[in-house]
Amino acid sequence: MEKIVVQGGDNRLVGSVTIEGAKNAVLPLLAATILASKGKTVLQNVPILSDVFTMNQVVRGLNAKVDFDEEAHVVEVDATGDITEEAPYKYVSKMRASIVVLGPILARVGHAKVSMPGGCTIGSRPIDLHLKGLEAMGAKITQTAGYIEAKADHLHGAHIYMDFPSVGATQNLMMAATLADGVTVIENAAREPEIVDLAIFLNEMGAKVKGAGTETITVTGVENLHGTTHTVVQDRIEAGTFMVAAAMTGGDVLVRDAVWEHNRPLISKLLEMGVEVTEESEGIRVRSQLENLKAVHVKTLPHPGFPTDMQAQFTALMTVAKGESTMVETVFENRFQHLEEMRRMGLHSEIIRDTARIVGGQALQGAEVLSTDLRASAALILTGLVAQGETVVGKLVHLDRGYYRFHEKLAQLGAKIQRIEANDEEE
Ligand code: UD1
């Protein structure tokens, strides 16, 4: 097992960093490739992440040909053969996001059997909204022996109101609706940039999707979709993580290719804290002076609110801003586990229901800590940059799901960080 070792205390980050294509965009895009019954699909700017390898396996398991040219960051998918209906437990259990194959398989084959995603450390994460939407489009859903089966010879258009703007449900329903008879309207749809990227991709494949990025998405079904070439949108969460890293080390970092509009909620909070954030032709530049950082109050919300996927990293930043900050987590019910680990580093914090109170500006000490989920792993590494002494972060399996060469990118900015082989960890 590998670990990340950070020598903390003097890690002012300076320079520029390049970010990858978005994990949360490419996973549904890969699922959508199976909708193309004609021609090959080429995805460019694909990040090299374990979640991408998992989704490639899921799509291969459906009988599509998938080639990943890692050097070129390109995935080519040929889904012109007979697509099979089953996404088995061995892959879905590795990654919850594989549930987004349900809509595309059903639309293409008329019958889908997808393993139920299991529990998750950050929350219970039901999929009722995915299933309700598909039922409204005419699917018969049954759940047996850990599998969801959905059947519909012909999905039909429907008017669907989502109780909550779920990202995954919006994606599943959008994809299913592309091949349904008639018009589907999804109200209270998720508005994340990754939803917009998926809609652009589907339209490039011949679909008729309108309104992505707003609360109402309208999809007019077509007979079939074809392959295309598409460049994956940049990863706003990876970009945001480096923006936070720069801010909390009193650094000066240009995050190349970061999209200002996608990071608006984060930028507004950084500005409120006293961080300098500017839009430059090559990306977003973040400069900060630690003595100027002010405590702030943040609440996570669906986009365009503050992203829950930046919550853990932002709490790391709160630890260096003098005074009492609060973080309210409204999207997932159990996403503060990193704070328990940070307490081992000397953090004064208190969690009451969905609100964490963080007392910033206290000296933290390096410690041995464990990643509890993907974004928590980044948050703990960032905290290690500012703590005194050595921090050792274990369970990097989480980090590798969503960050490509994270320690190398930080080291290039001047961080004292290494990734080492360690034998004492049990998975
Ligand atoms: C996606 C992102 C994840 C991010 C999350 C919220 C991917 C691969 N993952 O996850 O990184 O943290 O959006 O921005 O893109 N819910 C229900 N019923 C449902 C579906 C969701 O109650 O049928 C609830 C969930 O339990 C959760 C909330 O809605 O509390 C948000 O979930 P959702 O937007 O669906 O997140 P994901 O698509 O799973």
Side-chain angles (χ1 to χ4, degrees):
M1 284 304 136
E2 289 175 293
K3 293 187 178 186
I4 278 185
V5 181
V6 188
Q7 302 302 332
D10 177 23
N11 277 306
R12 181 168 183 262
L13 301 186
V14 178
S16 69
V17 62
T18 303
I19 52 169
E20 314 294 317
K23 169 183 90 76
N24 284 354
V26 75
L27 299 177
L29 294 179
L30 283 166
T33 60
I34 62 164
L35 289 164
S37 47
K38 290 181 195 156
K40 286 182 185 169
T41 298
V42 177
L43 291 174
Q44 297 167 333
N45 197 31
V46 175
I48 302 171
L49 300 171
S50 59
D51 273 8
V52 172
F53 291 111
T54 305
M55 191 55 115
N56 283 345
Q57 281 176 318
V58 172
V59 175
R60 268 187 208 113
L62 297 171
N63 201 31
K65 290 195 194 89
V66 181
D67 287 313
F68 191 0
D69 179 344
E70 290 175 42
E71 216 161 300
H73 290 254
V74 168
V75 173
E76 195 178 277
V77 182
D78 181 346
T80 52
D82 284 340
I83 292 299
T84 51
E85 63 195 34
E86 186 170 332
Y89 177 72
K90 64 177 173 182
Y91 302 133
V92 179
S93 60
K94 271 197 195 172
M95 186 181 70
R96 299 184 52 84
S98 8
I99 190 67
V100 291
V101 294
L102 179 63
I105 303 175
L106 180 62
R108 173 89 191 262
V109 186
H111 180 196
K113 188 174 173 198
V114 176
S115 171
M116 273 287 276
C120 173
T121 54
I122 62 174
S124 62
R125 305 183 81 167
I127 53 163
D128 54 312
L129 300 171
H130 304 236
L131 303 183
K132 262 165 73 178
L134 292 175
E135 274 173 340
M137 295 169 72
K140 294 267 172 296
I141 310 261
T142 49
Q143 292 182 38
T144 39
Y147 278 81
I148 297 157
E149 279 198 70
K151 280 187 190 161
D153 289 339
H154 282 292
L155 288 170
H156 55 73
H159 201 112
I160 300 163
Y161 177 85
M162 293 211 301
D163 300 342
F164 184 90
S166 154
V167 173
T170 303
Q171 291 165 339
N172 243 332
L173 299 177
M174 255 166 74
M175 291 189 277
T178 57
L179 297 180
D181 292 335
V183 178
T184 300
V185 179
I186 308 169
E187 264 191 274
N188 199 26
R191 292 185 269 167
E192 273 69 2
E194 296 76 25
I195 300 281
V196 176
D197 201 37
L198 176 61
I200 293 170
F201 178 61
L202 291 170
N203 287 340
E204 287 163 352
M205 295 169 83
K208 291 187 177 160
V209 182
K210 283 190 181 152
T214 75
E215 283 166 13
T216 308
I217 297 176
T218 307
V219 185
T220 306
V222 296
E223 279 293 308
N224 50 53
L225 297 182
H226 52 76
T228 186
T229 297
H230 179 81
T231 303
V232 180
V233 68
Q234 294 305 108
D235 196 321
R236 68 194 162 102
I237 305 300
E238 188 196 12
T241 303
F242 282 100
M243 289 162 66
V244 162
M248 65 191 283
T249 59
D252 180 354
V253 172
L254 173 70
V255 185
R256 286 185 188 281
D257 300 330
V259 182
W260 182 273
E261 213 35 53
H262 296 174
N263 276 300
R264 277 295 292 153
L266 171 66
I267 291 167
S268 94
K269 282 295 158 189
L270 288 172
L271 293 172
E272 196 181 320
M273 280 185 107
V275 178
E276 206 179 317
V277 190
T278 48
E279 188 173 15
E280 306 207 344
S281 57
E282 292 166 272
I284 300 175
R285 186 168 173 192
V286 177
R287 278 169 284 189
S288 91
Q289 288 185 331
L290 292 178
E291 60 279 12
N292 293 347
L293 292 182
K294 292 190 271 292
V296 285
H297 305 292
V298 178
K299 188 185 213 177
T300 67
L301 286 168
H303 193 79
F306 188 93
T308 174
D309 285 351
M310 281 304 301
Q311 183 258 102
Q313 305 90 309
F314 207 85
T315 57
L317 169 59
M318 286 169 163
T319 68
V320 297
K322 274 203 190 72
E324 194 177 301
S325 288
T326 53
M327 175 62 81
V328 184
E329 172 58 66
T330 74
V331 181
F332 291 108
E333 66 273 20
N334 192 28
R335 209 172 189 178
F336 282 140
Q337 292 172 63
H338 52 282
L339 292 179
E340 304 296 339
E341 293 297 297
M342 287 182 194
R343 264 189 217 164
R344 304 189 57 249
M345 303 171 77
L347 174 67
H348 294 256
S349 69
E350 185 186 35
I351 302 164
I352 300 174
R353 288 185 290 279
D354 62 358
T355 303
R357 195 173 64 85
I358 290 164
V359 184
Q362 314 265 326
L364 301 178
Q365 301 89 42
E368 192 146 350
V369 288
L370 285 179
S371 308
T372 47
D373 65 70
L374 164 55
R375 304 302 166 187
S377 64
L380 292 170
I381 293 167
L382 298 191
T383 310
L385 294 176
V386 298
Q388 294 299 323
E390 187 173 276
T391 294
V392 181
V393 183
K395 283 226 165 130
L396 300 183
V397 61
H398 295 297
L399 183 74
D400 295 338
R401 289 188 42 221
Y403 290 95
Y404 176 60
R405 298 192 173 167
F406 192 52
H407 69 290
E408 285 178 25
K409 292 187 182 189
L410 286 170
Q412 274 162 17
L413 294 170
K416 298 185 199 71
I417 183 168
Q418 299 179 61
R419 189 164 167 143
I420 58 158
E421 216 19 89
N423 298 321
D424 58 345
E425 192 178 311
E426 286 175 28
E427 270 300 301

